[in-house]
Amino acid sequence: MYTDGSRIDFKKFWGNSPMEMDWVNAEGRSGGMVSLWDPGFFHRTETIKHLYFLLICGTIRGVSEPLHILNIYAPRTAPAKRELWDHIKGMKAKRGGIWIMLGDFNQVRSSEERRNCNFDPTTAADFNSFIYEANLAEYIMNSFKFTRCVDGGNKLSKLDRMLVCDKFWGLWPNATLRALLRNLSDHFALVLITTPNDFGHIPFKFFNAWLAKPRLDDVVRSSVSLFTFAGPPDVYLAEKLRCIKNAVKAWNKTTKKEEDANLNV
């Protein structure tokens, strides 16, 4: 395991697009954090490194207030956690701006966030008090209930999370938090999506009752066989669906006229 972040090629995780980064080195097999960002979207103004966190301060495109991104790898002992929570509260109160805190907090908020693991109500109460006093909120996590899996899946905990301030929540109230499938790690990766998942109008409505009506299959097959378009794959698909929609729409209009005429006979 590398303890020096400078020896790791983080471009393998990012790809070929522009990237800036900073890190806190691990101590043996414990700790270690790295933050990566797109300099075209986020402009860093300051970095603060600590044994248990990495704070990146700056501004994001389109938002006037400063943004503070706190990458956390919390300690295990209760006294060290309380000291860390107090330190973070002080930083947040002093700096203001918009805050998002993410990472491994090494702490759960309730007994429901552990399965077959020891639950300490005292440290959970400390953590909940910190969240309340720092005026932080947490998005509901989709996909999975827990974020750490050990002992072949017998022991589960929710140790990783994302906490945001009220200003962040106000800017992105409909953001969604999703846990991804894990591979080599015993932790699940988390993704916070702030862009709306609204892809516009659905291509067309379709009723199962239409399947019992004549000529529908021929109409769809004919529109697909006659369709021609040159362009990107996503635009090609959209135009193909629009072609089918127009053909089905015309067929439905004609069919309804025929049905109405038969009813009036």
mmCIF file of all heavy atoms in Angstrom, residues 224-253:
data_model
loop_
_atom_site.group_PDB
_atom_site.id
_atom_site.type_symbol
_atom_site.label_atom_id
_atom_site.label_comp_id
_atom_site.label_asym_id
_atom_site.label_seq_id
_atom_site.Cartn_x
_atom_site.Cartn_y
_atom_site.Cartn_z
ATOM 1 N N VAL A 224 -39.873 1.966 -39.543
ATOM 2 C CA VAL A 224 -38.478 1.655 -39.217
ATOM 3 C C VAL A 224 -37.680 1.389 -40.486
ATOM 4 O O VAL A 224 -36.543 1.849 -40.645
ATOM 5 C CB VAL A 224 -38.406 0.441 -38.267
ATOM 6 C CG1 VAL A 224 -36.961 -0.031 -38.105
ATOM 7 C CG2 VAL A 224 -38.992 0.803 -36.908
ATOM 8 N N SER A 225 -38.267 0.630 -41.419
ATOM 9 C CA SER A 225 -37.538 0.276 -42.652
ATOM 10 C C SER A 225 -37.305 1.492 -43.534
ATOM 11 O O SER A 225 -36.304 1.553 -44.266
ATOM 12 C CB SER A 225 -38.307 -0.795 -43.417
ATOM 13 O OG SER A 225 -39.577 -0.300 -43.829
ATOM 14 N N LEU A 226 -38.209 2.478 -43.496
ATOM 15 C CA LEU A 226 -38.080 3.658 -44.353
ATOM 16 C C LEU A 226 -37.270 4.772 -43.697
ATOM 17 O O LEU A 226 -36.928 5.753 -44.361
ATOM 18 C CB LEU A 226 -39.478 4.193 -44.707
ATOM 19 C CG LEU A 226 -40.363 3.266 -45.554
ATOM 20 C CD1 LEU A 226 -41.752 3.867 -45.723
ATOM 21 C CD2 LEU A 226 -39.718 3.014 -46.918
ATOM 22 N N PHE A 227 -36.926 4.622 -42.411
ATOM 23 C CA PHE A 227 -36.235 5.688 -41.691
ATOM 24 C C PHE A 227 -34.786 5.803 -42.143
ATOM 25 O O PHE A 227 -34.065 4.818 -42.276
ATOM 26 C CB PHE A 227 -36.271 5.412 -40.188
ATOM 27 C CG PHE A 227 -35.473 6.397 -39.387
ATOM 28 C CD1 PHE A 227 -35.950 7.676 -39.156
ATOM 29 C CD2 PHE A 227 -34.226 6.043 -38.877
ATOM 30 C CE1 PHE A 227 -35.211 8.595 -38.418
ATOM 31 C CE2 PHE A 227 -33.489 6.949 -38.143
ATOM 32 C CZ PHE A 227 -33.975 8.226 -37.907
ATOM 33 N N THR A 228 -34.353 7.027 -42.401
ATOM 34 C CA THR A 228 -32.958 7.322 -42.748
ATOM 35 C C THR A 228 -32.521 8.577 -41.999
ATOM 36 O O THR A 228 -33.278 9.542 -41.888
ATOM 37 C CB THR A 228 -32.783 7.553 -44.262
ATOM 38 O OG1 THR A 228 -33.635 8.627 -44.686
ATOM 39 C CG2 THR A 228 -33.104 6.286 -45.048
ATOM 40 N N PHE A 229 -31.301 8.534 -41.494
ATOM 41 C CA PHE A 229 -30.770 9.703 -40.763
ATOM 42 C C PHE A 229 -29.270 9.518 -40.610
ATOM 43 O O PHE A 229 -28.779 8.406 -40.395
ATOM 44 C CB PHE A 229 -31.423 9.830 -39.392
ATOM 45 C CG PHE A 229 -30.927 11.005 -38.590
ATOM 46 C CD1 PHE A 229 -31.419 12.275 -38.833
ATOM 47 C CD2 PHE A 229 -29.963 10.834 -37.610
ATOM 48 C CE1 PHE A 229 -30.965 13.362 -38.098
ATOM 49 C CE2 PHE A 229 -29.501 11.911 -36.868
ATOM 50 C CZ PHE A 229 -30.007 13.180 -37.115
ATOM 51 N N ALA A 230 -28.526 10.612 -40.707
ATOM 52 C CA ALA A 230 -27.078 10.602 -40.516
ATOM 53 C C ALA A 230 -26.730 11.575 -39.388
ATOM 54 O O ALA A 230 -27.022 12.770 -39.489
ATOM 55 C CB ALA A 230 -26.361 10.990 -41.804
ATOM 56 N N GLY A 231 -26.138 11.057 -38.317
ATOM 57 C CA GLY A 231 -25.791 11.915 -37.196
ATOM 58 C C GLY A 231 -25.309 11.102 -36.011
ATOM 59 O O GLY A 231 -25.148 9.880 -36.092
ATOM 60 N N PRO A 232 -25.070 11.754 -34.889
ATOM 61 C CA PRO A 232 -24.612 11.055 -33.684
ATOM 62 C C PRO A 232 -25.614 9.991 -33.242
ATOM 63 O O PRO A 232 -26.817 10.114 -33.503
ATOM 64 C CB PRO A 232 -24.511 12.182 -32.639
ATOM 65 C CG PRO A 232 -24.393 13.437 -33.431
ATOM 66 C CD PRO A 232 -25.183 13.203 -34.686
ATOM 67 N N PRO A 233 -25.131 8.936 -32.575
ATOM 68 C CA PRO A 233 -26.021 7.836 -32.184
ATOM 69 C C PRO A 233 -27.211 8.262 -31.332
ATOM 70 O O PRO A 233 -28.321 7.758 -31.517
ATOM 71 C CB PRO A 233 -25.095 6.891 -31.405
ATOM 72 C CG PRO A 233 -23.734 7.182 -31.937
ATOM 73 C CD PRO A 233 -23.719 8.645 -32.248
ATOM 74 N N ASP A 234 -26.993 9.193 -30.364
ATOM 75 C CA ASP A 234 -28.094 9.595 -29.499
ATOM 76 C C ASP A 234 -29.158 10.366 -30.277
ATOM 77 O O ASP A 234 -30.362 10.173 -30.077
ATOM 78 C CB ASP A 234 -27.585 10.419 -28.313
ATOM 79 C CG ASP A 234 -26.761 11.619 -28.743
ATOM 80 O OD1 ASP A 234 -26.296 11.647 -29.897
ATOM 81 O OD2 ASP A 234 -26.574 12.523 -27.909
ATOM 82 N N VAL A 235 -28.709 11.229 -31.208
ATOM 83 C CA VAL A 235 -29.653 11.968 -32.040
ATOM 84 C C VAL A 235 -30.353 11.017 -33.005
ATOM 85 O O VAL A 235 -31.556 11.154 -33.280
ATOM 86 C CB VAL A 235 -28.931 13.092 -32.810
ATOM 87 C CG1 VAL A 235 -29.918 13.879 -33.679
ATOM 88 C CG2 VAL A 235 -28.227 14.037 -31.843
ATOM 89 N N TYR A 236 -29.612 10.035 -33.495
ATOM 90 C CA TYR A 236 -30.194 9.035 -34.399
ATOM 91 C C TYR A 236 -31.349 8.306 -33.713
ATOM 92 O O TYR A 236 -32.432 8.126 -34.298
ATOM 93 C CB TYR A 236 -29.112 8.037 -34.820
ATOM 94 C CG TYR A 236 -29.606 6.916 -35.706
ATOM 95 C CD1 TYR A 236 -29.565 7.034 -37.100
ATOM 96 C CD2 TYR A 236 -30.107 5.734 -35.159
ATOM 97 C CE1 TYR A 236 -30.021 6.009 -37.918
ATOM 98 C CE2 TYR A 236 -30.564 4.714 -35.964
ATOM 99 C CZ TYR A 236 -30.517 4.846 -37.347
ATOM 100 O OH TYR A 236 -30.965 3.835 -38.157
ATOM 101 N N LEU A 237 -31.123 7.884 -32.457
ATOM 102 C CA LEU A 237 -32.168 7.177 -31.727
ATOM 103 C C LEU A 237 -33.383 8.072 -31.498
ATOM 104 O O LEU A 237 -34.523 7.632 -31.674
ATOM 105 C CB LEU A 237 -31.624 6.687 -30.382
ATOM 106 C CG LEU A 237 -32.632 5.996 -29.456
ATOM 107 C CD1 LEU A 237 -33.208 4.758 -30.130
ATOM 108 C CD2 LEU A 237 -31.976 5.631 -28.125
ATOM 109 N N ALA A 238 -33.141 9.329 -31.119
ATOM 110 C CA ALA A 238 -34.253 10.246 -30.871
ATOM 111 C C ALA A 238 -35.076 10.466 -32.139
ATOM 112 O O ALA A 238 -36.318 10.480 -32.098
ATOM 113 C CB ALA A 238 -33.722 11.576 -30.340
ATOM 114 N N GLU A 239 -34.408 10.626 -33.269
ATOM 115 C CA GLU A 239 -35.118 10.849 -34.526
ATOM 116 C C GLU A 239 -35.867 9.596 -34.972
ATOM 117 O O GLU A 239 -36.970 9.674 -35.530
ATOM 118 C CB GLU A 239 -34.124 11.281 -35.615
ATOM 119 C CG GLU A 239 -33.532 12.662 -35.398
ATOM 120 C CD GLU A 239 -34.599 13.746 -35.418
ATOM 121 O OE1 GLU A 239 -35.572 13.620 -36.200
ATOM 122 O OE2 GLU A 239 -34.467 14.713 -34.641
ATOM 123 N N LYS A 240 -35.297 8.433 -34.693
ATOM 124 C CA LYS A 240 -35.964 7.182 -35.067
ATOM 125 C C LYS A 240 -37.240 6.999 -34.252
ATOM 126 O O LYS A 240 -38.290 6.609 -34.799
ATOM 127 C CB LYS A 240 -35.011 6.011 -34.835
ATOM 128 C CG LYS A 240 -35.516 4.687 -35.402
ATOM 129 C CD LYS A 240 -34.440 3.625 -35.291
ATOM 130 C CE LYS A 240 -34.880 2.339 -35.975
ATOM 131 N NZ LYS A 240 -33.808 1.302 -35.926
ATOM 132 N N LEU A 241 -37.168 7.294 -32.959
ATOM 133 C CA LEU A 241 -38.354 7.202 -32.116
ATOM 134 C C LEU A 241 -39.414 8.215 -32.545
ATOM 135 O O LEU A 241 -40.617 7.922 -32.509
ATOM 136 C CB LEU A 241 -37.975 7.422 -30.650
ATOM 137 C CG LEU A 241 -37.149 6.319 -29.998
ATOM 138 C CD1 LEU A 241 -36.717 6.745 -28.599
ATOM 139 C CD2 LEU A 241 -37.941 5.021 -29.927
ATOM 140 N N ARG A 242 -38.961 9.401 -32.953
ATOM 141 C CA ARG A 242 -39.911 10.416 -33.424
ATOM 142 C C ARG A 242 -40.601 9.959 -34.704
ATOM 143 O O ARG A 242 -41.799 10.203 -34.902
ATOM 144 C CB ARG A 242 -39.182 11.745 -33.653
ATOM 145 C CG ARG A 242 -40.131 12.891 -34.033
ATOM 146 C CD ARG A 242 -39.383 14.206 -34.178
ATOM 147 N NE ARG A 242 -38.926 14.690 -32.877
ATOM 148 C CZ ARG A 242 -37.646 14.711 -32.496
ATOM 149 N NH1 ARG A 242 -36.705 14.296 -33.337
ATOM 150 N NH2 ARG A 242 -37.313 15.157 -31.313
ATOM 151 N N CYS A 243 -39.853 9.281 -35.575
ATOM 152 C CA CYS A 243 -40.445 8.754 -36.814
ATOM 153 C C CYS A 243 -41.514 7.708 -36.504
ATOM 154 O O CYS A 243 -42.607 7.718 -37.093
ATOM 155 C CB CYS A 243 -39.338 8.151 -37.691
ATOM 156 S SG CYS A 243 -39.921 7.396 -39.219
ATOM 157 N N ILE A 244 -41.214 6.817 -35.569
ATOM 158 C CA ILE A 244 -42.197 5.794 -35.170
ATOM 159 C C ILE A 244 -43.411 6.456 -34.522
ATOM 160 O O ILE A 244 -44.562 6.073 -34.780
ATOM 161 C CB ILE A 244 -41.550 4.784 -34.206
ATOM 162 C CG1 ILE A 244 -40.398 4.049 -34.894
ATOM 163 C CG2 ILE A 244 -42.589 3.797 -33.675
ATOM 164 C CD1 ILE A 244 -39.597 3.164 -33.969
ATOM 165 N N LYS A 245 -43.141 7.449 -33.681
ATOM 166 C CA LYS A 245 -44.235 8.158 -33.011
ATOM 167 C C LYS A 245 -45.186 8.774 -34.026
ATOM 168 O O LYS A 245 -46.420 8.635 -33.901
ATOM 169 C CB LYS A 245 -43.667 9.249 -32.112
ATOM 170 C CG LYS A 245 -44.715 10.179 -31.522
ATOM 171 C CD LYS A 245 -44.075 11.324 -30.756
ATOM 172 C CE LYS A 245 -45.120 12.310 -30.258
ATOM 173 N NZ LYS A 245 -44.517 13.429 -29.502
ATOM 174 N N ASN A 246 -44.657 9.454 -35.033
ATOM 175 C CA ASN A 246 -45.514 10.106 -36.027
ATOM 176 C C ASN A 246 -46.331 9.088 -36.812
ATOM 177 O O ASN A 246 -47.514 9.319 -37.123
ATOM 178 C CB ASN A 246 -44.655 10.947 -36.972
ATOM 179 C CG ASN A 246 -44.038 12.146 -36.279
ATOM 180 O OD1 ASN A 246 -44.576 12.640 -35.280
ATOM 181 N ND2 ASN A 246 -42.910 12.629 -36.790
ATOM 182 N N ALA A 247 -45.696 7.947 -37.108
ATOM 183 C CA ALA A 247 -46.416 6.914 -37.851
ATOM 184 C C ALA A 247 -47.535 6.312 -37.005
ATOM 185 O O ALA A 247 -48.664 6.110 -37.489
ATOM 186 C CB ALA A 247 -45.438 5.825 -38.300
ATOM 187 N N VAL A 248 -47.255 6.029 -35.737
ATOM 188 C CA VAL A 248 -48.274 5.457 -34.849
ATOM 189 C C VAL A 248 -49.385 6.468 -34.592
ATOM 190 O O VAL A 248 -50.569 6.108 -34.520
ATOM 191 C CB VAL A 248 -47.631 5.008 -33.521
ATOM 192 C CG1 VAL A 248 -48.686 4.619 -32.494
ATOM 193 C CG2 VAL A 248 -46.676 3.845 -33.765
ATOM 194 N N LYS A 249 -48.998 7.739 -34.472
ATOM 195 C CA LYS A 249 -49.986 8.790 -34.241
ATOM 196 C C LYS A 249 -50.963 8.893 -35.417
ATOM 197 O O LYS A 249 -52.193 9.000 -35.223
ATOM 198 C CB LYS A 249 -49.275 10.127 -34.035
ATOM 199 C CG LYS A 249 -50.177 11.265 -33.601
ATOM 200 C CD LYS A 249 -49.346 12.506 -33.323
ATOM 201 C CE LYS A 249 -50.244 13.666 -32.878
ATOM 202 N NZ LYS A 249 -49.456 14.887 -32.590
ATOM 203 N N ALA A 250 -50.418 8.846 -36.630
ATOM 204 C CA ALA A 250 -51.280 8.907 -37.821
ATOM 205 C C ALA A 250 -52.156 7.665 -37.912
ATOM 206 O O ALA A 250 -53.354 7.759 -38.257
ATOM 207 C CB ALA A 250 -50.409 9.041 -39.073
ATOM 208 N N TRP A 251 -51.565 6.490 -37.614
ATOM 209 C CA TRP A 251 -52.348 5.245 -37.627
ATOM 210 C C TRP A 251 -53.474 5.288 -36.598
ATOM 211 O O TRP A 251 -54.605 4.902 -36.899
ATOM 212 C CB TRP A 251 -51.409 4.071 -37.345
ATOM 213 C CG TRP A 251 -52.124 2.811 -36.956
ATOM 214 C CD1 TRP A 251 -52.651 1.874 -37.782
ATOM 215 C CD2 TRP A 251 -52.411 2.369 -35.626
ATOM 216 N NE1 TRP A 251 -53.252 0.866 -37.066
ATOM 217 C CE2 TRP A 251 -53.108 1.156 -35.732
ATOM 218 C CE3 TRP A 251 -52.138 2.872 -34.363
ATOM 219 C CZ2 TRP A 251 -53.539 0.429 -34.616
ATOM 220 C CZ3 TRP A 251 -52.553 2.170 -33.251
ATOM 221 C CH2 TRP A 251 -53.247 0.965 -33.372
ATOM 222 N N ASN A 252 -53.192 5.778 -35.416
ATOM 223 C CA ASN A 252 -54.204 5.838 -34.356
ATOM 224 C C ASN A 252 -55.341 6.779 -34.732
ATOM 225 O O ASN A 252 -56.524 6.496 -34.471
ATOM 226 C CB ASN A 252 -53.560 6.287 -33.049
ATOM 227 C CG ASN A 252 -54.520 6.234 -31.879
ATOM 228 O OD1 ASN A 252 -55.207 5.243 -31.679
ATOM 229 N ND2 ASN A 252 -54.563 7.307 -31.101
ATOM 230 N N LYS A 253 -54.991 7.902 -35.378
ATOM 231 C CA LYS A 253 -56.010 8.852 -35.790
ATOM 232 C C LYS A 253 -56.938 8.237 -36.834
ATOM 233 O O LYS A 253 -58.171 8.378 -36.761
ATOM 234 C CB LYS A 253 -55.349 10.108 -36.342
ATOM 235 C CG LYS A 253 -56.316 11.223 -36.685
ATOM 236 C CD LYS A 253 -55.546 12.461 -37.157
ATOM 237 C CE LYS A 253 -56.503 13.601 -37.479
ATOM 238 N NZ LYS A 253 -55.777 14.826 -37.922
#
